[in-house]
Each structure stands twice: as structure tokens, then as C-alpha cells.
Amino acid sequence: MGQGTWYMGENQAQRQQEVRALQVGLEQGLKVIDTAEMYADGGAEEVVGAALKGRRDTAWLVSKVYPWNAGEAEAGKACERSLRRLQTDYLDLYLLHWRGNLPLDETVRAMEKLQQQGKIRHWGVSNLDSDEMQRLWQLPGGEGCATNQVLYHLASRGIEYDLLPWCQQHHLPLMAYCPLAQAGRLRHTLMSDATLRDIAQQRGISVAQLLLAWVIRHPGVLAIPKASTVAHVEENARALTIAFSAEELARIEQAFPAPSGKQPLDVV
């Protein structure tokens, strides 16, 4: 499990609280911090930079580039801006935020150039479905993609039909954003579901912890929930210790069944 930063950096009054939450997350073992140039127009990256001051080597830092900045002409400048806001000289992982109009092979070349310059160590993509991943894999250098970051939670299981198996087959880690349906219309449905509430109550955990534990039980899946308070990040971290019984998983499966066919990739 890592830490997301969507909606951070939008309120100056909450800045120190957000900085401390990220630092406590690192102390709790949530080493991956995910951000993007889009979040608060770079404000989230600035929060992350403040949180990592003096402790950059304790984090695995991920940022994302707008699709129109992911070409050979703009990627270097966009990456430099992110590095300045993050107060670091390299990213561990740089992601294409979503599929834009630029050819994927141009983005691959731009990412490889950033690697050669030492500005990024790895590159990947976000919000690409299985057909787009297959096309990427066929491009020169496409197999250098290190991850795909997509929306995934218990009420949005479409990736289990084809994308997740494809990623697992190709040993490609998958990053799950909004694992608690934070930005989706289904959050209330999940949090108030009778089956989930009953299982959580029996286990002495929160429904949120149950949902996080369910996402990360899948091999090769990393959840990146956003937590802007120390209490919230500590609650999230405790989900790492939760293991489900076969009976619990069967009850969850009955309440929120896996897809029986191809579904459009959910995006928020």
C-alpha cells in the first residue's frame, strides 16, 4: 500500500496537516507516494516536496504528466517543473496520466530520454485498458513500461475480466487509485452496505480498512488511498495486517460479484 495525494495542496490552511500525514505514512511503511502535475495545478507536488524534505530516500516517488506534455518536445520541461516542486532531482516513476492525442511511441521515446538523463528511474502509464496495453507492448521499448495505474475498488471490478489478468501474466504491477471509491458515486453504497458493515464489525475493523485489504489481497496490486490526516493514514496502514477467511471472501463476492464479461475501463 502507498499514499495518494489527489485533492492535496488545494487549501493552504491544511498544508501542514497534509505534510505530516504523508510523513506518518512513510513511518508506517507506506513508502510509495503518488502525485501528479494536475493535482491542484502542482500544489500537491509542493506538499509532497515539503513532506520529503530531509527524507527523500525513504520514499518511492511517483508523479504523472499531462498527455499533452508527454511528447518529445514538452516532457523534459514538464518533468523539470515537477522536480522543482517536489524538491528532488529524480522521480522513481513517471506516468502518462491518461491516453491523449500524441502517439504512444513518441511518449515511449520521451520517457526513455528522461531515463537516460537520470531524471526518472522508471516510467509507466495510467488509465490504459487492456487493448491499449497490448498496443503499447508491441511498440519498440513499450515493454519498458513499469506499471499501469487504474481505478479499482470493490464496486468497480471490471479490470478483473481482462486487464488485471493481462498485467499479472506480464508481471506488470497494477496501481489501484480510488480504492475506497473516494471520487466515485459508489462510495456511500460501499460504506453503508450491510454485508461489509457486518464483516467489519465482527472483525473489529472499519469498512474502509476492509475495502483496502480486499484490494491489496490480489497479487501484484498496490493501493494508493489518499489520507490527509494522521489518524486516517494510521487507519489505512492497519489494513496491511488484515487477511480474510474463505467464508468472508465468499460473502463479499456474493454482495459484489466479479464481472462476467468485458466492461469499459472506469475512470474519474
Side-chain angles (χ1 to χ4, degrees):
M1 191 187 306
Q3 303 183 78
T5 61
W6 195 10
Y7 293 120
M8 284 190 182
E10 296 185 351
N11 187 335
Q12 188 65 27
Q14 296 178 358
R15 181 184 176 92
Q16 289 307 311
Q17 173 182 287
E18 293 169 345
V19 166
R20 186 56 190 150
L22 289 171
Q23 292 173 338
V24 169
L26 290 173
E27 294 161 6
Q28 294 283 327
L30 310 183
K31 302 297 187 182
V32 175
I33 297 181
D34 175 84
T35 189
E37 67 172 337
M38 185 188 82
Y39 301 164
D41 292 326
E45 289 180 323
E46 293 175 352
V47 170
V48 174
L52 294 184
K53 195 169 184 178
R55 59 180 86 196
R56 170 66 180 91
D57 60 350
T58 67
W60 211 78
L61 184 56
V62 185
S63 193
K64 298 186 285 293
V65 59
Y66 280 122
W68 50 85
N69 284 338
E72 293 178 277
E74 297 297 329
K77 291 180 281 188
C79 186
E80 283 287 354
R81 291 192 295 269
S82 288
L83 292 175
R84 284 196 297 271
R85 290 189 290 261
L86 290 161
Q87 301 181 53
T88 185
D89 56 4
Y90 73 96
L91 290 170
D92 294 290
L93 179 64
Y94 201 32
L95 305 181
L96 171 66
H97 205 152
W98 66 87
R99 183 77 171 89
N101 295 323
L102 289 173
L104 276 176
D105 58 347
E106 182 178 345
T107 294
V108 172
R109 291 195 300 271
M111 292 295 191
E112 289 177 334
K113 183 177 180 180
L114 290 172
Q115 282 181 307
Q116 294 164 3
Q117 295 171 339
K119 295 177 182 178
I120 67 173
R121 292 186 171 177
H122 306 276
W123 66 270
V125 295
S126 181
N127 295 306
L128 264 65
D129 208 345
S130 55
D131 58 339
E132 295 172 312
M133 291 304 299
Q134 291 171 37
R135 284 197 291 272
L136 174 62
W137 228 243
Q138 294 168 1
L139 296 174
E143 293 186 14
C145 176
T147 191
N148 187 12
Q149 183 181 126
V150 296
L151 185 149
Y152 183 48
H153 55 73
L154 181 57
S156 179
R157 299 181 61 179
I159 66 168
E160 293 179 31
Y161 183 76
D162 55 354
L163 179 58
L164 179 56
W166 188 92
C167 289
Q168 291 171 332
Q169 178 185 352
H170 291 81
H171 307 289
L172 186 74
L174 187 143
M175 298 178 70
Y177 73 80
C178 290
L180 302 175
Q182 294 103 313
R185 58 185 171 80
L186 298 173
R187 178 175 175 82
H188 176 72
T189 301
L190 285 170
M191 294 300 177
S192 62
D193 180 80
T195 297
L196 302 184
R197 290 172 66 91
D198 183 56
I199 294 173
Q201 185 175 20
Q202 290 179 9
R203 295 291 297 270
I205 61 177
S206 68
V207 173
Q209 288 171 321
L210 181 155
L211 293 171
L212 286 176
W214 182 87
V215 167
I216 62 176
R217 75 180 179 84
H218 295 281
V221 175
L222 171 83
I224 47 169
K226 173 237 178 183
S228 56
T229 67
V230 168
H232 192 181
V233 77
E234 289 176 340
E235 178 185 359
N236 287 349
R238 287 193 291 272
L240 290 167
T241 64
I242 298 170
F244 296 106
S245 68
E247 179 186 0
E248 289 170 335
L249 286 174
R251 292 181 64 192
I252 294 171
E253 185 74 20
Q254 184 175 11
F256 295 90
S260 58
K262 172 66 179 174
Q263 298 181 2
L265 185 68
D266 279 343
V267 178
V268 293

